[in-house]
Amino acid sequence: MKFSSPKVFKYSLILVLIDILVIWLWAINSDLGPGSAMVIYIVVPFAFIVNIIIGGILFFTKRVYSPLFFINCIIAPAITYWLFTSEMSNQYKEHFDQWSFNLQDTTFRITKWNKYNEFSISYSDGPGSSTSFLDGKCEQKKDTLLLIADSIKMYIHHDKLHNFRKSKNPITLKIYN
């Protein structure tokens, strides 16, 4: 049995869709938080090797299908890389929330670490510099985020920071991406 061009395209498309589904399910069910970038060095070669093995087995059993897997050994690692890096980025963003605001010539950044219910505030007075100066616990109360550190109590309500440096006026925050 020989493949015609439409059949090769059809089967290749089916194989790519199966790749996307399987690799996507694998990626979303993996814990790919901060520090897991090394996973890419394992899963991409794994996708290549699996397709080479399947192509080799089919070469001796159903020779007509083996070229599809040899072609797929190039496509599957690219899909794997793309899906895993996308999911890694999504999961990384879920680990924290960030806001920023400017006072005079200084940019402040508030980072809330979701997993630990902690926050930190850093400031930068020029490009490339950043200094963390306040760390503490945070607590979500309905639509208000309480920020508590030592004897300081601030809160974020409707994207406004209240009680920063005992200020009477709330500071408008920008969501930092």
Side-chain angles (χ1 to χ4, degrees):
M1 172 173 147
K2 288 202 170 216
F3 272 121
S4 62
S5 291
K7 274 189 176 182
V8 168
F9 180 75
K10 176 182 159 187
Y11 287 127
S12 295
L13 187 60
I14 290 169
L15 191 57
V16 166
L17 291 174
I18 291 170
D19 278 344
I20 290 171
L21 178 66
V22 169
I23 295 166
W24 178 71
L25 287 171
W26 184 15
I28 64 169
N29 289 310
S30 299
D31 184 18
L32 301 172
S36 62
M38 293 300 291
V39 159
I40 296 298
Y41 293 115
I42 297 167
V43 297
V44 171
F46 182 75
F48 177 80
I49 291 168
V50 165
N51 279 281
I52 287 290
I53 290 170
I54 293 171
I57 291 169
L58 289 175
F59 183 77
F60 295 109
T61 58
K62 300 237 184 212
R63 187 169 282 196
V64 71
Y65 296 113
S66 69
L68 291 174
F69 284 90
F70 288 127
I71 292 169
N72 198 50
C73 76
I74 304 299
I75 296 169
I79 293 169
T80 303
Y81 178 80
W82 175 67
L83 286 173
F84 267 82
T85 53
S86 296
E87 184 60 27
M88 200 177 312
S89 177
N90 289 341
Q91 287 184 23
Y92 182 71
K93 288 177 185 173
E94 291 173 5
H95 285 266
F96 61 88
D97 296 316
Q98 286 188 322
W99 300 269
S100 67
F101 62 94
N102 293 319
L103 288 178
Q104 297 166 354
D105 292 340
T106 305
T107 300
F108 292 87
R109 183 171 300 138
I110 302 170
T111 303
K112 175 189 172 237
W113 305 99
N114 296 327
K115 189 174 182 178
Y116 306 106
N117 288 328
E118 295 177 349
F119 78 94
S120 65
I121 300 179
S122 61
Y123 69 91
S124 173
D125 45 9
S129 73
S130 179
T131 304
S132 180
F133 72 92
L134 184 62
D135 295 305
K137 296 284 184 188
C138 55
E139 187 179 327
Q140 189 72 45
K141 299 269 187 173
K142 295 184 182 175
D143 60 349
T144 301
L145 179 66
L146 301 174
L147 306 173
I148 304 162
D150 296 329
S151 62
I152 299 169
K153 289 185 180 181
M154 300 175 285
Y155 62 96
I156 298 173
H157 182 73
H158 295 296
D159 291 327
K160 292 190 182 205
L161 178 62
H162 298 264
N163 214 24
F164 180 73
R165 294 185 175 167
K166 308 224 188 254
S167 171
K168 301 280 184 217
N169 299 325
I171 300 167
T172 302
L173 299 173
K174 294 180 267 183
I175 295 175
Y176 187 82
N177 290 328

